[in-house]
Amino acid sequence: LDRELRYTPGDLWLVAAATGVGKSTLLQEMERRATVPTIFFSVEMSRQQLMDRTISANAGIDSWKIRRGALSPSELAMVMAEVDDYERRDDHLLVDNAGLTTAAMESVLRIASVRFGVRIAYLDYIQRLADKGDSEYARVTAISNAVARIARQTGVNIVAAAQVNRQSKDGEPPRKSDLRDSGYLEQDAAAILALGRAEGSTDVKLIVRKSRSGLEGYTVDFVFDAFHSRILETSEARMRDASPVGADS
């Protein structure tokens, strides 16, 4: 997926999935792999929750152990090193605000793009932005239009998680028409990446439902690793499982 998809300045991408499938985890995985300055806007999770998940993924330590403080001396040293690195970085910014609006997001993003050179923004998730509207359809339509405009005007590629209306029982990724609350989400997005995962399964399927670069229909299989807050391509998961390096003790 990293080889096939190319971040595009000024585009809005959507990562579409039902609750619990792993769209937030995929957004964080994409942010971790980014080679340019980024900013992560979260209206779902607090800074501490995001930090715990990032440290778990980077250090390869069970996220439950980090939350509970049930760490061995060596694991604690690894976590403290990750915390120190996390706090000192200015190329991966984080904004956690449950009341975030598109106006506030635009203001922060304009400053971050100039001051820190931010080129990619991640948003979790787009329908949760706190803008008002006469109806839910009107509200989400205005949000979709505004976020797409912000991407164009700032030249920042915005990658936003998006909730869908239903979850397929067989884990099939949603279609574009399943995007919740407004058809303008589909219209405004330059790319739509749809995630599907059957209940209780760790197998995740991604299908590119829309792409202006000609990748529509492209499919990737992932493995959802809830213990370490990661989503890995199947080939990566096999390599990790085969390697004794970094294995949990």
Side-chain angles (χ1 to χ4, degrees):
L1 184 64
D2 292 334
R3 292 192 302 270
E4 298 297 334
L5 287 174
R6 295 289 183 270
Y7 290 104
T8 309
D11 273 357
L12 169 62
W13 293 7
L14 297 179
V15 175
T19 299
V21 169
K23 57 185 179 294
S24 298
T25 303
L26 180 60
L27 245 64
Q28 285 192 274
E29 189 70 34
M30 295 170 77
E31 194 266 347
R32 288 179 66 252
R33 293 167 180 257
T35 58
V36 297
T38 65
I39 187 167
F40 198 104
F41 293 97
S42 175
V43 294
E44 274 274 274
M45 289 181 282
S46 68
R47 179 182 182 87
Q48 187 62 54
Q49 288 174 307
L50 289 167
M51 188 172 174
D52 288 348
R53 288 162 63 106
T54 298
I55 290 169
S56 173
N58 288 343
I61 298 173
D62 191 323
S63 57
W64 181 89
K65 296 177 74 174
I66 294 175
R67 291 195 303 272
R68 297 290 182 176
L71 301 168
S72 68
S74 61
E75 289 171 334
L76 179 59
M78 292 173 65
V79 167
M80 295 307 296
E82 288 290 342
V83 169
D84 184 59
D85 181 65
Y86 189 95
E87 295 290 355
R88 286 189 292 103
R89 297 186 68 175
D90 62 5
D91 59 343
H92 290 267
L93 307 176
L94 171 62
V95 175
D96 61 327
N97 182 355
L100 186 71
T101 63
T102 54
M105 177 181 169
E106 179 175 8
S107 178
V108 171
L109 192 53
R110 286 187 181 279
I111 294 170
S113 63
V114 173
R115 183 175 298 178
F116 299 103
V118 164
R119 292 295 172 262
I120 309 171
Y122 300 89
L123 170 62
D124 187 23
Y125 61 91
I126 192 166
Q127 291 108 320
R128 281 290 302 273
L129 288 171
D131 298 52
K132 305 297 183 183
D134 294 334
S135 67
E136 189 63 7
Y137 184 91
R139 190 185 75 83
V140 174
T141 294
I143 288 172
S144 177
N145 294 164
V147 174
R149 175 187 58 77
I150 293 167
R152 288 193 305 272
Q153 293 183 354
T154 61
V156 173
N157 192 167
I158 298 178
V159 183
Q163 189 76 7
V164 298
N165 289 315
R166 60 182 178 84
Q167 167 65 15
S168 171
K169 292 182 179 179
D170 61 2
E172 185 66 16
R175 300 187 178 278
K176 291 180 287 188
S177 57
D178 293 327
L179 286 165
R180 179 179 288 180
D181 299 324
S182 176
Y184 279 89
L185 288 167
E186 175 187 342
Q187 179 177 312
D188 289 331
I192 298 175
L193 315 180
L195 285 182
R197 178 166 66 94
E199 185 175 353
S201 174
T202 60
D203 296 328
V204 181
K205 183 178 182 181
L206 180 149
I207 296 179
V208 180
R209 293 296 193 191
K210 178 180 179 181
S211 172
R212 292 177 183 168
S213 60
L215 283 175
E216 190 164 330
Y218 185 79
T219 302
V220 183
D221 292 322
F222 291 98
V223 174
F224 181 63
D225 179 3
F227 295 107
H228 303 100
S229 304
R230 298 201 67 183
I231 281 188
L232 301 171
E233 290 190 33
T234 303
S235 58
E236 293 178 308
R238 288 173 181 158
M239 290 175 64
R240 182 199 61 183
D241 292 342
S243 172
V245 178
D248 287 344
S249 56

